[in-house]
Amino acid sequence: MVKFGVGQPMRRVEDERLITGKGRYTDDISLDGQAHAYMVRSPHANARIVSIDTADAKASAGVLAVFTGEDAKREGLGIVASPAADMLKNSDGSSIFKTTRHLIAQEFVRYAGDTVAVIVAETLNQARDAADLLVIDYEALPAVADTAGALAPDAPVVWPELGSNLAYDWSLGEAPAAAAAMKAAHHITKLNLINNRIVVAAMEPRAALGNYDKARDHYTLYSPSQGVHSQRNYIAQFSLNIPVEKLRVVTEDVGGGFGMKTFVYPEYPLVLFASRMVGRPVKWTGDRSDAFLTDSQGRDHVTEAALALDKDGKILAVEVSTIANLGGYQSQFGPFIPSLAPRGMHVGVYKVPVLYNRVRAVYTNTVPVDAYRGAGRPEASYVIERLMDKAARELGIGQDEIRMRNFIAASEMPYKGGASLPFDSGDFARNLTDAFKQSDVAGFEARRAAAASKGKLIGQGVSYYVERTAAGMSDYARIAIDADSGIVHVWTGQQTNGQGHETVWTQFLATRLGLDVEKIKVHLGDSDILPGGAGTGGSKAVYLVTGAIGDASDKLIDKGREIAANELEAAKADIEYRGGDGEAVFAVVGTDKKIDLFQVARLAEAQPDLGELAGDGEYSQKGNTFPNGAHICDVEIDPETGTFKITRFVAVDDFGHILNPLIVAGQVHGGIVQGLGQAMGEHAVFDNETGQLVTGSFMDYWMPRADDMPSFETSYNEIPSTSNALGVKGAGEAGTVGAPAAFINAIIDALKPYGVDTVDMPVTPMKLWNIIQKGRKAAE
């Protein structure tokens, strides 16, 4: 047996390095002779740039260069790519309007934080001082920030050439079929929902270090990415207009990404451009205030939804109409997130004959919106689980019963029918039953009565979520053995942002080769090592990388068998590889003749035509996986103050075969906290008249803290996926998908005495106090 192999709760191999200060983040990297860049941001949400006088700034001490949009235009710089704009069309088949986002704003700025100039100096402070000497003349224009209000006839238009703020009008399903189902329904539940905008707030702010090698005409970028290959491709092809082989992107440790660090931001190609222009490496590091203004943000939907049911409480149709805010520009995948990312997900885990989903995306003078942990799927799950909760209350059906009546049964897997998702596996009824038992739902009403006797309100909320992980892409791996050190090195196309990838890849390869984990070294984040990589996002890493590592290890072993056969004087067909129980050897079948793996590697190194014992692997995943589970949340509210606390949170999840229970628990806990954070207080608020971000710091933007959370009770039913050899299902985003609806449903349940049937996120003590006061007055 391999020490700490697959399935064992191995502690993270990266943690000692990170918690002892030995991590190496982008800002920790410095190059000889580097200069520093400062990005000058627009103070206006919508304005025309009349002129920029750079003379005094250029003459300032230590300044090496000042670049404006006109300089970028003259030097032939390109744009920030938005490939998602080409992925979908309007409902009438026409192409959607595609915004042009220059690396430095030209003529117009479209949100407060848009880059208007770049100053490069010997030190960061010198660059900051020079920024104060820029003389920029703006013509301020009316701004719009409100999501639904952006479609008002008199709303200021972000892109005048478009003629309105409607970015696209997309739909899935047939409206007439949905209308017919609604007409035939015994009962219709309707809801208006707001999915509030949130700031990503990764622990590590973004940074970039660019270096241009004039002799080679080659660029190197160090950045905190979620995948070096996509950044290389988009920057080279769209921003710098150079062949991809002329750019190398390197990412070392990353302090949180959550989707936001997937994308190319103007600062990344700009430091490369600046390095070429000044002849020195150029470094830029953002701060927290800058991150609030420039990092992509998440969510921001206004939705009308309806659920049609027959007389038995079974679903006939789901109808969802959403207005989604894209911000001032189309971010890299911005148009994709409210439309194609959650396509079909509004039906949840239920048998649904008909779904009609309409999405109208709008432009506003706000920070661009893109993927945030879950990327469209939490928004969809929130809609259907809020509908199911309200329908149960309206019909007088138990929260478990209405779901049980509509679940796709385990016996029906694999399932494909109507508008339901094409599940390969799952046992939804089992998960919900287990969650109800663990939450002691049967004893809840007694607890409610006891709380009421103490002047408290308590509520219990249920949410059954489903996630759809990414597929239809390939990933790569390379394994090479260093005979001298006795270490097996592995490179993959994924990029850890704190999820524990190094640990899981170590466990998997250790099991595959039968080695102790101490002999495995994982490397990430260098676009020159592998031909490509899918990057981290969509909870796909585990099956893509294990598939690629499996292929690479098979090829390495095959190469080793050939070398061992020559050394042991046997036919290759008679050589087998044996790993585990203290040995890793190539042996002649049926004999005691064998040679150690590292001895074979030394032989390979001695042969010029071989050079090393290595294997290069590739894996493609066609089918999605569908992690799913039941979340049950208990809350307690003090009606005199509106303060509340979560007293219990139970999650029963199905992630298929679990490779490391500790890693999964960490991902579930983190995901739940991020989902609850949005529901409990996180809210990016913009002034609708000025477009200014009102919650522009942690003084105004609420973030969840450890003492806001209970001790989560998590358990798993491992029902293998059939879409991959390991039977795994992605676990990275699931907690964020299920938690918000469970919490809000619990709040609504607690407020039943006041006739409340809906509450929007985020829930704050002030909001609850006002609701309770209103309810008391109505009862007088």
Side-chain angles (χ1 to χ4, degrees), residues 4-15 373 498-501 503-504 507 655 657-671 714 716 718 731-732:
F4 295 132
V6 165
Q8 299 180 55
M10 173 182 167
R11 292 185 179 275
R12 298 184 0 152
V13 299
E14 54 267 68
D15 281 355
R373 196 170 189 170
Q499 300 95 325
H501 288 174
T503 302
V504 178
Q507 283 184 275
F655 298 127
H657 180 47
I658 292 176
L659 303 188
N660 184 320
L662 280 179
I663 296 287
V664 169
Q667 288 297 291
V668 171
H669 289 192
T714 60
Y716 315 106
E718 299 184 43

Side-chain angles (χ1 to χ4, degrees), residues 5-27:
V6 165
Q8 299 180 55
M10 173 182 167
R11 292 185 179 275
R12 298 184 0 152
V13 299
E14 54 267 68
D15 281 355
E16 182 179 354
R17 181 183 85 250
L18 297 175
I19 65 176
T20 57
K22 297 174 185 176
R24 186 170 160 88
Y25 299 88
T26 299
D27 189 54

